Amino acid sequence: MLFKCSAILRILPLFLFALTLPYATAQGGNAGIVRGTVTDPSGAVIPNATVHLSNEVSGLDRTTTSDATGQFVFSNVPFNPYEISVSAKGFSAISQKFEIRSALGANLKLTLAIQGGSSTVTVEATGDLIETDPTFHTDVDRDLFTKVPLESQSSTLSSLVTLTTPGVSADSNGLFHGLGDHASNSFSVDGQSITDQQSKVFSNQLPSNAIQSIEVISGAPPAEYGDKTSLVIVATTRSGQGVTKPTGSINASYGSFGSAAAGSDLSYGGKKWGNFTELDALSTGRFLDPPEFSVFHDKGNEQNFFDRVDWSFTPADSMHVDFNYSRSWFQTPDSFDNLNVQNVVSGGVSTDPTFDTVGDTDQRSKIGTFNISPTYTRVIDNNSVLNLGAYVRRDNYNYYPSNSPLADLGPIQTSSISQDRTLTNAAIHADYTYSVGNQNIKAGVLYQQTFLREHDNLGVVSAIYNSPCVDDAGNPLPGYSDPSECPGGDTGQNPDYLPVLAPYDLTRSGSFYSYFGHTDVKELSMYIEDQIKAGNWNFNLGIRGDLYNGLAIARQAEPRLGIAYNIKPSKTVLSVSYARTLETPFNENLVLSSSGCSNNVLNPLLACSPGVSGTLDPGYRNEFHAGIQQAFGKWAVVSGEYIWKYTHNAFDFGVLGNTPIFFPIDWHNSKIPGYALHVDMPEFHHFSAYSVMSSVAARFFPPQSAGAGAAPGQGGFPFRIDHDERFNQTTHVQYQFGKRGPWAGWNWRYDSGLVAGSVPCYNVTDPNSLCNPVNGGPSITLPSGQPGIDLSGLTPDQQFEAGLACDGVKATPTSGFTSCDAAGFTSSLVSIPAPGKEDDDEDPPRIAPRNLFDISVGQNNIFHADRLKTDFDITAVNVTDKYALYNFLSTFSGTHYVTPRAITAKITFNF
């Protein structure tokens, strides 16, 4: 407590002093203001000069004109290097390079020479296209990503990150895994830190239509970022400041699976204020990625509202407020096994219970997300600026079982579950930036509390899951209520029967078990960092301190270091960086996962691993990066880095049955090596392209130290978690046909395949393999004496989902195999190691490689109007209708197919 008070006391005098000093306006968050004056050689101002601001790599492209006093303003410009060019009638055009690295922005004086005379061109000699920042990152502006075909309509921001950033493994339901870690990603939205999961089965994302630009940091994170730092997505939202004439758009679209969407946005403001509002809605028959290529029971809808207000009180004082509310409702997709579910309808405790159809599984979810984030900015002098802010964000997740709980029974689900969970994150933060000469110093403090409330109801819906009695072969029998009733006396009693579960067995007239867990996670973070330019050198120095007080307590000092050297003659930048980070546990279902395994009722229902219980502890990580950046004139720039990360207490997730209820899991450690590459080709004769590619391993080491859910790797040997991928790449190409012609964008995504550890295989040597009989694997010897695989643990539909075949005969949703000879066991959707070759660390089963192609074509201003302009575009996802999987019986998310061919037409009215 003393530490918290002392930190506040240090900031308070600085804040009070700042209130007395008026200077030039700055802009808070992740952006600055570019101001300037255009003059002739005598100092006279030049009105109506054309001013063009651009970043050829990120795609930012803006144009304005100087006013009657020769001044111009570009508001909400993200931190990046830029080139500004100015032209006016009768004068020679000039261009100048500069950087924005703080909320102070830039104030430029641009002098135009009289045409025919000498020109005063000022160009910083940094080399074309390259950046000297030692932190590997990807910049994408709205002018680029509006023409990138996005796979998911309900999680467009996730799709954008996946398709533009190297090192990202694509997963189902809008999930993306950065640099080998399970969803260890954070967002910084206009300076607000969001480290909780943002996929559409946890929360509602900020819509991409509200985003102006993103910077995705995949290198060693600077000191201002913490908690979840495998990928840091720095997002700048759109602003209406300076838009003196109302500008906006209204759009509507319709496409495959009955997907209908509509949206609108409006920007309006003045020199001292601005407002941007965005509203959209979606209804679709394919909201989540289902476990069947055929889509059914997958309806969902979503509504988003976002509003940003900017207001400059004085030349030195300004404020902006972000507000958004999103709501989504969606069904949990069914498989064929979820149709016409058979279960006990009467006589559950009798010797002969009656079974009949209880209907189809009908599980649903609803998520409401609220967020408000005000930030006050005070310019102290021409070199320093102070930001003070606060925010409150709340996710309310509701999960509903089928109307008949007994219909929730499935091959991987033995319980009916309902959940009402809230996650409320409230924080105050402050940062101070001082820029002088070649240094840019930033110091900040963040205090946040996360309030977790978890209400869960669970009941057994399998008549044989906790049966008191077994038959002569040891198979559990339905019916009976007590071991004393078993036929055969003591020999007929089930040795695995748990009397503690009897009151909650819905097949035997039991009721739901209710659980309520809550906690208040407190965290205080402080940092100071300095960017230093010294000749050809660029240094990022910083240190961060995190004090975490949740179910566990952790304290960590985290040094950060980055060094880059610019070899100007060859236009090459070499860099190395290091970061020490505190990895905080995932907050979603944290209380249940930390305490459930020590509860006699919850332990078996949560499928806890034997001997695993206790609180999930924060981890710590050391990560090293080495990079190179090479420019080829104005034609292209290639960036690459090698990554090596070691994490003690590494996090993964388990899933509860066929539900979107996931539990964090804590492993002893992980080792993650890999590389990432990025190639950018700026626009040339209306053509532009980029390509991102990576190979990142995800090696985890037992034991599992905490967390609910059964998990692999209990044999004590290293294994690959299910988002390890050997190689993936995305190439995007776009072309504009003339100045007024149509445009086209094309994506090619290749994925070598995530680990599919649940696929049966044949192996008797790897001691860690699930295929080893020692570990309960399916390796058997057939009556013919041939080595075989026991497939009785998979239903016919699960075998069909995996594309399994035995001796050339394919499984169907209703017809499968109980066993198959190892040599004749194949799959069209999964790469299965040859008999005797499977190794969970070196050669695990994987999803088969896939190539996916997406296309967008459109025409802007189709009627060539001056004011009310109409745009039209068509997007086709998976144009070849590739039949492929994301994953199979994943311990995190189950089985999911990629989107079948989906075509969407959209019309937009701009005003």
Side-chain angles (χ1 to χ4, degrees):
M1 187 66 184
L2 290 175
F3 184 82
K4 300 174 189 174
C5 294
S6 64
I8 295 172
L9 290 174
R10 292 191 192 101
I11 296 173
L12 185 60
L14 179 60
F15 173 54
L16 296 174
F17 174 69
L19 294 177
T20 66
L21 298 174
Y23 282 90
T25 303
Q27 189 161 340
N30 306 319
I33 295 177
V34 178
R35 298 179 177 273
T37 305
V38 184
T39 66
D40 66 15
S42 69
V45 299
I46 302 176
N48 298 318
T50 300
V51 185
H52 180 229
L53 181 70
S54 65
N55 181 305
E56 292 181 299
V57 174
S58 73
L60 183 139
D61 191 290
R62 301 190 201 175
T63 302
T64 190
T65 56
S66 58
D67 62 17
T69 64
Q71 296 183 351
F72 64 88
V73 177
F74 292 100
S75 301
N76 205 39
V77 182
F79 300 165
N80 259 323
Y82 294 98
E83 181 172 353
I84 192 167
S85 58
V86 185
S87 61
K89 187 176 181 179
F91 295 89
S92 298
I94 68 167
S95 65
Q96 178 174 325
K97 290 183 182 291
F98 68 98
E99 286 188 272
I100 298 179
R101 289 300 175 195
S102 74
L104 286 167
N107 200 340
L108 308 173
K109 183 174 182 181
L110 303 170
T111 302
L112 301 186
I114 298 174
Q115 203 164 37
S118 60
S119 176
T120 57
V121 178
T122 305
V123 178
E124 184 181 350
T126 58
D128 295 339
L129 304 179
I130 62 173
E131 292 187 55
T132 57
D133 188 345
T135 301
F136 190 81
H137 64 277
T138 301
D139 299 312
V140 185
D141 193 78
R142 182 168 189 80
D143 292 324
L144 173 63
F145 69 68
T146 53
K147 297 179 181 178
V148 176
L150 299 180
E151 188 275 333
S152 176
Q153 288 183 290
S154 54
S155 53
T156 53
L157 186 55
S158 290
S159 291
L160 180 63
V161 173
T162 300
L163 293 173
T164 59
T165 306
V168 175
S169 294
D171 207 337
S172 55
N173 298 331
L175 286 162
F176 58 91
H177 306 290
L179 301 181
D181 280 298
H182 170 83
S184 182
N185 317 305
S186 64
F187 288 79
S188 176
V189 180
D190 292 339
Q192 176 188 351
S193 176
I194 303 175
T195 60
D196 295 307
Q197 297 199 67
Q198 295 293 288
S199 77
K200 57 188 174 184
V201 292
F202 287 107
S203 179
N204 296 308
Q205 293 186 357
L206 191 66
S208 62
N209 194 38
I211 300 295
Q212 176 59 49
S213 70
I214 61 171
E215 176 191 18
V216 184
I217 299 173
S218 49
E224 61 186 291
Y225 304 112
D227 286 357
K228 311 287 191 302
T229 55
S230 284
L231 286 182
V232 180
I233 298 95
V234 183
T236 301
T237 62
R238 299 169 69 182
S239 171
Q241 188 164 0
V243 184
T244 56
K245 182 179 179 180
T247 301
S249 68
I250 300 173
N251 67 77
S253 66
Y254 186 80
S256 305
F257 313 113
S259 299
S264 65
D265 62 76
L266 175 65
S267 300
Y268 183 54
K271 292 183 178 180
K272 294 184 178 181
W273 69 280
N275 187 78
F276 171 80
T277 299
E278 193 272 348
L279 177 67
D280 64 72
L282 166 71
S283 178
T284 178
R286 194 183 190 279
F287 193 87
L288 299 181
D289 295 308
E292 309 283 355
F293 199 67
S294 301
V295 181
F296 52 93
H297 196 265
D298 198 8
K299 294 180 180 179
N301 59 67
E302 182 179 72
Q303 302 82 39
N304 294 295
F305 173 76
F306 174 81
D307 188 76
R308 168 173 168 166
V309 178
D310 294 273
W311 188 11
S312 296
F313 307 104
T314 71
D317 302 283
S318 62
M319 174 174 283
H320 92 255
V321 180
D322 289 352
F323 172 82
N324 70 278
Y325 177 76
S326 298
R327 176 193 177 277
S328 61
W329 175 96
F330 51 92
Q331 298 172 321
T332 299
D334 282 347
S335 68
F336 290 114
D337 284 327
N338 297 122
L339 304 180
N340 299 314
V341 177
Q342 300 285 311
N343 212 330
V344 175
V345 294
S346 64
V349 296
S350 69
T351 59
D352 189 19
T354 301
F355 285 79
D356 203 349
T357 300
V358 292
D360 299 340
T361 304
D362 183 25
Q363 301 164 334
R364 295 139 289 140
S365 298
K366 183 180 71 173
I367 306 175
T369 300
F370 165 86
N371 187 85
I372 185 168
S373 173
T375 302
Y376 168 77
T377 300
R378 173 72 178 187
V379 178
I380 298 174
D381 56 32
N382 290 330
N383 298 318
S384 54
V385 62
L386 174 71
N387 289 311
L388 295 174
Y391 54 82
V392 176
R393 179 182 58 84
R394 178 182 173 90
D395 286 327
N396 187 185
Y397 176 85
N398 288 275
Y399 181 75
Y400 307 101
S402 302
N403 291 326
S404 170
L406 295 175
D408 288 339
L409 177 65
I412 59 174
Q413 185 164 339
T414 57
S415 302
S416 182
I417 305 127
S418 67
Q419 183 175 76
D420 183 357
R421 173 172 57 83
T422 60
L423 185 160
T424 304
N425 182 229
I428 56 174
H429 60 98
D431 62 78
Y432 170 74
T433 301
Y434 179 71
S435 296
V436 61
N438 291 330
Q439 286 187 269
N440 186 64
I441 302 171
K442 186 175 183 179
V445 59
L446 166 68
Y447 177 72
Q448 60 181 320
Q449 291 190 219
T450 303
F451 304 91
L452 304 178
R453 301 291 182 268
E454 301 172 7
H455 297 261
D456 298 279
N457 296 302
L458 299 92
V460 176
V461 294
S462 170
I464 60 173
Y465 175 74
N466 191 48
S467 174
C469 305
V470 295
D471 62 17
D472 293 339
N475 299 310
L477 292 171
Y480 305 97
S481 62
D482 190 271
S484 63
E485 303 171 353
C486 296
D490 293 344
T491 59
Q493 296 181 3
N494 186 355
D496 298 322
Y497 175 65
L498 298 173
V500 70
L501 292 184
Y504 315 110
D505 190 334
L506 303 185
T507 70
R508 294 175 170 84
S509 303
S511 59
F512 281 95
Y513 175 82
S514 294
Y515 169 84
F516 174 66
H518 64 93
T519 192
D520 177 7
V521 180
K522 307 174 184 68
E523 188 171 4
L524 177 65
S525 305
M526 299 165 291
Y527 66 87
I528 184 169
E529 58 190 19
D530 190 6
Q531 295 179 334
I532 305 171
K533 286 190 174 182
N536 294 343
W537 295 91
N538 196 344
F539 300 91
N540 283 357
L541 308 175
I543 188 168
R544 178 184 181 91
D546 282 313
L547 288 77
Y548 177 89
N549 187 358
L551 295 174
I553 296 175
R555 305 285 187 266
Q556 189 75 233
E558 305 155 47
R560 314 286 174 89
L561 171 66
I563 304 173
Y565 182 75
N566 184 9
I567 308 173
K568 293 185 177 182
S570 63
K571 299 178 181 177
T572 306
V573 175
L574 304 176
S575 62
V576 293
S577 55
Y578 164 79
R580 170 86 167 193
T581 62
L582 177 71
E583 300 296 306
T584 56
F586 295 100
N587 286 320
E588 294 81 7
N589 294 306
L590 174 64
V591 183
L592 183 59
S593 190
S594 294
S595 62
C597 291
S598 59
N599 181 301
N600 290 336
V601 175
L602 292 176
N603 185 293
L605 297 180
L606 299 179
C608 293
S609 298
V612 177
S613 64
T615 301
L616 282 91
D617 291 313
Y620 60 82
R621 168 179 295 163
N622 291 297
E623 61 179 284
F624 304 85
H625 301 254
I628 182 171
Q629 186 179 176
Q630 179 65 57
F632 299 92
K634 286 184 172 288
W635 303 96
V637 59
V638 179
S639 305
E641 73 162 349
Y642 177 78
I643 309 133
W644 193 90
K645 300 189 291 185
Y646 175 89
T647 306
H648 181 78
N649 283 350
F651 297 111
D652 192 16
F653 259 85
V655 63
L656 184 56
N658 181 40
T659 74
I661 300 177
F662 306 105
F663 302 102
I665 291 174
D666 203 349
W667 292 100
H668 181 270
N669 69 281
S670 69
K671 295 179 181 179
I672 300 176
Y675 67 83
L677 297 172
H678 198 301
V679 181
D680 280 292
M681 297 179 62
E683 183 177 341
F684 178 74
H685 292 305
H686 309 298
F687 170 87
S688 62
Y690 70 79
S691 182
V692 295
M693 58 196 76
S694 59
S695 176
V696 182
R699 302 181 65 223
F700 276 57
F701 294 77
Q704 178 186 344
S705 53
Q714 300 297 341
F717 296 87
F719 64 99
R720 307 291 179 109
I721 55 177
D722 55 11
H723 52 265
D724 175 285
E725 189 166 34
R726 287 175 175 169
F727 182 75
N728 63 58
Q729 74 86 35
T730 300
T731 298
H732 172 74
V733 177
Q734 66 185 50
Y735 184 78
Q736 176 72 48
F737 295 86
K739 292 184 178 180
R740 293 190 173 184
W743 57 266
W746 175 78
N747 288 346
W748 167 33
R749 173 80 183 187
Y750 171 80
D751 291 273
S752 66
L754 302 178
V755 168
S758 296
V759 176
C761 50
Y762 182 84
N763 191 319
V764 294
T765 57
D766 178 11
N768 191 49
S769 174
L770 293 176
C771 300
N772 194 322
V774 174
N775 298 324
S779 301
I780 59 175
T781 299
L782 299 176
S784 63
Q786 293 178 296
I789 298 175
D790 182 2
L791 298 176
S792 61
L794 298 178
T795 69
D797 185 39
Q798 289 174 333
Q799 297 175 33
F800 167 74
E801 290 170 353
L804 300 184
C806 183
D807 295 325
V809 179
K810 296 181 179 180
T812 71
T814 57
S815 177
F817 316 100
T818 57
S819 63
C820 182
D821 62 285
F825 183 59
T826 60
S827 171
S828 59
L829 298 177
V830 179
S831 298
I832 302 173
K837 300 296 183 182
E838 195 274 341
D839 186 296
D840 279 0
D841 185 22
E842 298 298 330
D843 189 20
R846 293 180 181 272
I847 300 300
R850 63 179 181 268
N851 291 282
L852 301 178
F853 301 95
D854 310 321
I855 296 176
S856 284
V857 294
Q859 172 69 64
N860 294 335
N861 195 13
I862 57 179
F863 300 117
H864 306 293
D866 293 328
R867 290 188 58 222
L868 300 177
K869 301 177 180 180
T870 303
D871 301 339
F872 179 77
D873 63 79
I874 297 178
T875 298
V877 172
N878 190 7
V879 292
T880 62
D881 205 25
K882 177 70 173 179
Y883 183 75
L885 288 168
Y886 277 117
N887 40 43
F888 174 70
L889 292 181
S890 163
T891 55
F892 171 65
S893 57
T895 299
H896 296 285
Y897 281 84
V898 302
T899 306
R901 180 168 49 232
I903 301 174
T904 303
K906 179 180 178 182
I907 187 167
T908 304
F909 301 99
N910 302 286
F911 55 90

